[in-house]
Amino acid sequence: MTPQPRGPGSIDGVADPAPAITWVGHSTVLLELDGVRLLTDPVLRERMLHLRRVSVSADVGALHDVDALLISHLHYDHLDVQSLRAVGRASRVVVPVGAGDMLRSRGFAHVTELDVGEDTDVNGVNVSATHAEHGGRQLLGMRVPALGYLVSGSLRIWFAGDTDLFDGMSRVAPDLDVALLPVAGWGPRLPKGHLNPERAAQALTLLRPRIAVPIHWGTYRRLGLASGEELLREPAERFARLAAEVAPEVEVRILPVGGRLELTGVHEGVST
């Protein structure tokens, strides 16, 4: 069944028990699971350095009421302090080990640092840090790793962050319900440490999720590059075509920015 997407303005905090994901754009995803709301890599601005947002704008006001923010790594299109402040400095922030002091110095008091294999509880939902093949970033003389996050409750959802294929990917999230996989970027080339549509489809043969949702595409574009809708959608659509060939048992759902996918009945093979 084709999901019935709602616009960004409808990302609200109503008491809806249905597990769901809403793609806010780029790597920003709102996860609603067991009454808990988690927001990944909030990047919400219209312009960042040489990038401009070419999709619909994010409704920041609808994203204040979240239980935790999950930051995968410190690259500026994943950790944007201005976007974090717009969501709210009172929010709990989960970050890779080594990044905590930097955020505390900017006014975020509730910071949890995780290394690969470590986990934390967010109001009854488990958040576990997983490996990401993306390299790290130097911060105050320390290399801060890149992470993915496995979110486990009544469903198991893996947010890959930025990653390439890596040894052990097949063991990162057994019995996985949903994989949120990056499939592109913001320019014509993807450097090492990223998944393109071909490698993301190959990742499905290792992860074997019930549902895969492509992210990290069609939201930001480098200044001066063409940004027509067909061009922006092409990586996600190519991923879906390749996935159908190599992992036909996986249901690929391409969401528009602001689109919400309810996950009721995923274990029974039904999503709405």
Side-chain angles (χ1 to χ4, degrees):
M1 181 182 298
T2 302
Q4 300 301 312
R6 302 188 298 175
S10 62
I11 305 172
D12 52 41
V14 297
D16 185 349
I21 60 173
T22 302
W23 185 43
V24 183
H26 202 55
S27 283
T28 308
V29 183
L30 178 66
L31 310 180
E32 298 170 277
L33 181 63
D34 302 340
V36 173
R37 287 161 53 92
L38 305 171
L39 189 65
T40 67
D41 287 355
V43 176
L44 308 170
R45 289 193 284 156
E46 297 299 308
R47 176 87 176 265
M48 296 185 304
L49 299 179
H50 61 292
L51 301 183
R52 61 187 175 95
R53 192 176 181 105
V54 294
S55 71
V56 296
S57 300
D59 183 355
V60 179
L63 298 172
H64 285 301
D65 186 23
V66 295
D67 295 277
L69 309 174
L70 308 182
I71 307 301
S72 65
H73 62 293
L74 303 192
H75 291 158
Y76 69 89
D77 61 326
H78 293 261
L79 171 61
D80 179 57
V81 173
Q82 289 191 37
S83 293
L84 292 180
R85 286 172 174 162
V87 175
R89 295 190 194 187
S91 300
R92 182 180 177 188
V93 188
V94 180
V95 297
V97 63
D101 286 346
M102 183 269 288
L103 283 175
R104 293 184 191 101
S105 70
R106 287 161 172 78
F108 296 90
H110 308 292
V111 180
T112 300
E113 297 183 65
L114 294 181
D115 204 349
V116 173
E118 296 180 337
D119 66 338
T120 189
D121 178 89
V122 181
N123 297 337
V125 169
N126 183 267
V127 176
S128 177
T130 67
H131 176 75
E133 191 68 18
H134 190 60
R137 178 179 173 185
Q138 288 292 130
L139 183 67
L140 301 177
M142 178 181 182
R143 179 162 289 276
V144 178
L147 299 176
Y149 291 104
L150 178 62
V151 176
S152 302
S154 58
L155 297 175
R156 290 164 65 82
I157 302 171
W158 187 49
F159 167 64
D162 264 1
T163 190
D164 210 331
L165 295 169
F166 58 86
D167 293 339
M169 183 175 274
S170 62
R171 300 186 298 274
V172 74
D175 193 28
L176 185 62
D177 292 298
V178 181
L180 304 172
L181 293 180
V183 300
W186 39 258
R189 295 186 303 105
L190 276 177
K192 184 179 178 180
H194 294 81
L195 292 175
N196 61 14
E198 291 76 15
R199 293 196 295 277
Q202 187 178 347
L204 295 183
T205 69
L206 303 173
L207 295 164
R208 299 293 180 185
R210 294 174 175 84
I211 296 174
V213 176
I215 61 174
H216 206 275
W217 64 274
T219 310
Y220 287 95
R221 197 74 169 157
R222 196 174 69 200
L223 292 172
L225 292 180
S227 57
E229 182 176 353
E230 183 176 341
L231 175 65
L232 294 173
R233 286 185 58 87
E234 194 273 337
E237 292 177 345
R238 188 161 84 250
F239 165 69
R241 292 193 300 268
L242 293 167
E245 296 174 5
V246 302
E249 73 282 5
V250 179
E251 181 183 0
V252 174
R253 307 297 289 269
I254 300 176
L255 297 180
V257 171
R260 184 175 187 268
L261 175 64
E262 291 193 0
L263 301 173
T264 305
V266 167
H267 283 305
E268 291 74 35
V270 179
S271 58
T272 58

